[in-house]
Amino acid sequence: MAPWRRDVRLSWGQRLGCAGLSGALSLSLTAPLEVATVLAQVGGSGRGPGVPARGSPPTGLLRLGLRLGRAQGLRALWKGNGVACLHLGPSGALQLAAYRKLVLLFMDDLGCVSQWSAIVAGSLAGMVATIVTYPIDVVKTRLIVQNLLEPSYTGILHAFYTIYHQEGFLALYRGVSLTVLGAVPFSIGSFLVYMNLDKLWNEPRDRFSPLQNFANGCLVAGVAQSLSFPFDTVKRKMQGTLET
C-alpha cells in the first residue's frame, strides 16, 4: 500500500477554519433534511403539530417536512441548526488535535503513515471528539423534537440547564454507547469502499478528477451511513426521550 504523507500546505488554524466554514454551510443547506430525518427516527417521542404520532404509518421525508413547515412555521425546518453549527468548533478542534497526536503513533522514521493507519487514526480521533462533545448533540436533538409553538427550551443554554437539573448529568450522555458501536460499521464501510474506488473507476486514486472525488465522497458516506443508521435511529430515540 502506498504511503500517505501529511499535507503541510495549510496550518492547523487554517484547516480548522476551512472545516468550520464548509461544515456550517453544508449543515445549513441540509438542515431541513436533518430535521425531518430526526423526527422520523424519534417518531412518537416527538412533540407538537406536524410531528408523527406513535404508531402512525411511515411518512416520507418531503411530506413530513412540508407538514412541519405548515404546522410550526418555516423556521421549524432549521430547528437545532444553530447548536449544530456551534458544535463544529469544539468538535473540529478536538478531532484535529487528537488526530495529530494519534497519527504520530503510526508514523515511521520518514514521517509517513500507511493509508490504513491514517484511516484508523482518523476514526479514533472522530470517536474522541464525538464522545467529548456528545451533550451538544443531545441538546440538538431535543431542540429538533420540541414543539416550536410551545417550546420546552428557549435556547441552547436553557436546554443544557433544564436537562441537567431535571434529568441529571447522565441524560446528556444518553445513547453515547450506540455512537461508539455505530462507529464500527461506519469505519468498516468507509474503508472497504475507499479501498475499491480504483477498481470502480479503473484508474489510480491519485488521478481522480474533482467530480470523481465528489462522487466518491457521496458513495463512501452513503454506504457508511446506511450501515450505521440503525444505531443512529436507536440513539436518537434515546436522546429525544424525556426522563422525569
Side-chain angles (χ1 to χ4, degrees), residues 76-195:
L77 297 175
W78 275 267
K79 290 191 294 184
N81 186 57
V83 68
C85 292
L86 291 175
H87 175 257
L88 290 172
S91 176
L94 284 169
Q95 186 166 352
L96 282 175
Y99 180 78
R100 286 164 63 90
K101 296 295 184 182
L102 290 169
V103 79
L104 293 176
L105 300 177
F106 302 102
M107 190 173 293
D108 59 22
D109 295 335
L110 299 177
C112 298
V113 295
S114 66
Q115 292 173 337
W116 166 246
S117 298
I119 291 174
V120 171
S123 299
L124 292 175
M127 194 176 300
V128 170
T130 298
I131 292 174
V132 174
T133 62
Y134 190 81
I136 303 177
D137 193 51
V138 173
V139 169
K140 185 192 78 170
T141 300
R142 292 294 183 89
L143 292 175
I144 288 177
V145 302
Q146 74 172 347
N147 179 6
L148 199 60
L149 301 179
E150 298 177 0
S152 303
Y153 314 108
T154 58
I156 300 172
L157 295 179
H158 181 251
F160 271 113
Y161 178 85
T162 304
I163 295 172
Y164 175 77
H165 282 274
Q166 292 186 358
E167 303 175 54
F169 175 77
L170 292 180
L172 294 171
Y173 278 91
R174 190 177 299 148
V176 68
S177 59
L178 290 166
T179 299
V180 177
L181 292 175
V184 176
F186 185 94
S187 299
I188 292 175
S190 299
F191 176 73
L192 291 178
V193 175
Y194 177 78
M195 295 308 299

Side-chain angles (χ1 to χ4, degrees), residues 39 48-53 56-73 76-77:
L39 290 177
V51 178
S56 61
T59 304
L61 293 183
L62 179 59
R63 182 176 299 178
L64 177 58
L66 292 174
R67 189 199 309 174
L68 179 67
R70 287 194 297 266
Q72 299 187 30
L77 297 175

Side-chain angles (χ1 to χ4, degrees), residues 20-42:
L21 289 175
S22 60
L25 178 60
S26 62
L27 283 175
S28 299
L29 291 175
T30 60
L33 288 175
E34 174 71 6
V35 170
T37 301
V38 171
L39 290 177
Q41 289 175 316
V42 173

Side-chain angles (χ1 to χ4, degrees), residues 189 193 196-197 200-201 213-225:
V193 175
N196 288 280
L197 289 175
L200 176 65
W201 296 106
N213 285 325
F214 174 76
N216 293 339
C218 294
L219 179 61
V220 171
V223 172
Q225 289 281 8

